[in-house]
């Protein structure tokens, strides 16, 4: 499908099709959350038209990146793109998806770094090495401190919260693997 799109349409047409899809989905998510909360909200977490809060968070984070890109590429529609980007940030915040919340925090930092080094092409290698080194350092720090981080986020340190389920079902698994 991707090859067909690339060969048949220009980048502007592909982005316009994606913008329509993201806009309809953003509108439907907001409609289900605000006007049909029985179906769009589960507990305190927003799901929208997604099956789970994390799906809504990941989708909305990707839509934020997309609308930010489109606001730069299509200046005539900049105001609409910024409005849709803000709507998707609200969806991420309402979904309470921890991964997407970290992404929303990291996204502006990455944009600032990209804009700072965009005009200095000779620094691309250094920036790439800094991103990789920073990412590895973050993975190392989080990996070594996963229990305190999970407890601070209100999660079970074994990251599943299903330990009771496993201990109750281990006998059934041994009987019928």
């Amino acid at each position: 499908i991707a090859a067909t799109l690339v060969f048949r349409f220009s980048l502007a047409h592909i982005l316009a099709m994606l913008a329509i899809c993201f806009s309809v989905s953003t509108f439907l998510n907001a409609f289900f959350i605000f006007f049909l909360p029985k179906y769009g909200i589960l507990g305190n977490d927003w799901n929208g038209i997604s099956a789970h809060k994390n799906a809504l968070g990941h989708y909305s984070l990707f839509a934020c990146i997309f609308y930010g890109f489109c606001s730069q590429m299509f200046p005539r529609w900049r105001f609409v793109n910024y409005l849709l980007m803000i709507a998707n940030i609200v969806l991420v915040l309402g979904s309470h998806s921890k991964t997407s919340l970290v992404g929303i925090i990291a996204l502006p930092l990455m944009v600032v770094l990209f804009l700072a080094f965009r005009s200095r092409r000779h620094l691309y290698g250094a920036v790439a090495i800094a991103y990789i080194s920073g990412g590895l350092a973050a993975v190392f720090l989080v990996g070594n401190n996963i229990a305190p981080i999970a407890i601070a986020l209100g999660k079970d340190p074994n990251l599943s919260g299903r330990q009771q389920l496993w201990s109750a079902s281990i006998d059934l698994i041994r009987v019928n693997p």
Side-chain angles (χ1 to χ4, degrees):
I1 294 174
T4 304
L5 286 174
V6 169
F7 289 128
R8 255 188 124 167
F9 302 105
S10 68
L11 178 62
H13 284 101
I14 293 171
L15 290 176
M17 288 187 278
L18 281 172
I20 291 169
C21 292
F22 279 128
S23 300
V24 167
S25 183
T26 300
F27 172 74
L28 286 174
N29 278 318
F31 182 79
F32 271 74
I33 289 167
F34 296 114
F35 297 109
L36 297 171
K38 177 180 174 185
Y39 302 106
I41 299 175
L42 183 63
N44 291 331
D45 302 326
W46 292 358
N47 292 348
I49 59 173
S50 304
H52 194 265
K53 67 177 185 170
N54 290 337
L56 174 64
H58 296 321
Y59 157 78
S60 296
L61 179 62
F62 184 70
C64 288
I65 296 168
F66 175 78
Y67 286 125
F69 176 73
C70 284
S71 68
Q72 298 301 316
M73 195 155 175
F74 304 111
R76 188 172 68 153
W77 294 96
R78 184 170 289 160
F79 180 73
V80 173
N81 285 320
Y82 282 142
L83 279 177
L84 289 167
M85 187 166 72
I86 290 169
N88 279 290
I89 289 172
V90 170
L91 288 175
V92 168
L93 295 174
S95 72
H96 300 132
S97 172
K98 304 290 192 271
T99 308
S100 299
L101 289 172
V102 170
I104 284 291
I105 294 167
L107 183 63
L109 299 174
M110 292 176 63
V111 168
V112 167
L113 283 175
F114 173 74
L115 292 176
F117 291 110
R118 186 171 73 175
S119 63
R120 297 175 184 91
R121 294 191 185 266
H122 63 280
L123 294 177
Y124 278 166
V127 171
I129 290 171
Y131 273 146
I132 292 169
S133 300
L136 289 175
V139 167
F140 179 74
L141 288 172
V142 169
N144 286 332
N145 298 306
I146 195 70
I149 292 171
I151 291 169
L153 293 174
K155 298 290 183 179
D156 193 13
N158 66 10
L159 294 180
S160 69
R162 297 178 180 93
Q163 196 167 17
Q164 295 173 347
L165 174 70
W166 283 110
S167 63
S169 61
I170 196 72
D171 293 330
L172 295 173
I173 293 171
R174 286 187 184 142
V175 172
N176 192 6

